[in-house]
Amino acid sequence: MKCLIIQPKLENGIDQLEAVVKKNPTVDIVIFPEGYLNENVELACKLAANYNIVLIGGYRRLNEQPKDRVIVINRKGQVTLDRIKYSKTTFVNEEGLKIGQILCDELIVQGMNSQEASDIDLIVHPIGVGMFSIEQFEEWVTEATNIAMTYHTMVIGTSHADGSFGNTGVSIPIAYCIDRDGSAIFISKNDVRARILDYESKEVVFANN
């Protein structure tokens, strides 16, 4: 099974997502940042069905607070997981894997917030903007590593390629994959190229852009 991990710029539509999917037709799952879909869930469902892929990431409902939510869309274009930020961690079975999500700063605020956190295959960590300091970058990678080891699960995180938190003017794009034993499969800092991870072999290659 191949996972495509992208770091797009925030946009009104989902053009970057569709473009990278077209150029990488062999992938099974596409992982994208918090809020990337905005309110384009219907478009994303059509994309998933048209290209026979699973989409995992985040979107926004701008008329709600908190506005950010996690989402999983299956190969048929059906939403199989939709959870509001700061609620309990929930899981879905896709591609034979038990998958959960930790949304952006939930990593620090509440971590794994579930009584069902056992036999997990993959935790996806959609992040909004990049890190605002090297110290934050290291803190989040360390915490993700702790979760991987504690729950014996792979953890994959990715942020947008642009943007800064609280108008700090600093944005360090981040993407990473931590294996079940806490070892780093890859950790990307200031490198926003899309990557394809083979879940079984742990091989990582750059995607066609």
Side-chain angles (χ1 to χ4, degrees), residues 151-165:
Y151 296 95
H152 194 58
T153 181
M154 183 182 287
V155 183
I156 299 175
T158 188
S159 77
H160 287 102
D162 58 347
S164 62
F165 177 76

Side-chain angles (χ1 to χ4, degrees), residues 5 14 29 31 59 68 72-73 75 99 106 158 161 178 186 194 203:
I5 302 153
I14 56 172
I29 294 175
I31 295 172
Y59 78 103
D68 286 302
V72 177
I73 303 171
R75 291 180 184 267
I99 300 172
E106 285 185 340
T158 188
I178 309 296
F186 76 86
E203 180 185 2

Side-chain angles (χ1 to χ4, degrees), residues 10 75 99 121 140 167:
L10 187 62
R75 291 180 184 267
I99 300 172
D121 298 297
W140 284 38
N167 297 316

Side-chain angles (χ1 to χ4, degrees), residues 83-102:
R83 175 177 71 80
I84 196 166
K85 193 173 185 178
Y86 306 127
S87 61
K88 287 187 177 181
T89 311
T90 51
F91 302 90
V92 65
N93 290 302
E94 294 291 348
E95 305 299 299
L97 305 178
K98 182 177 179 180
I99 300 172
Q101 291 200 54
I102 295 176

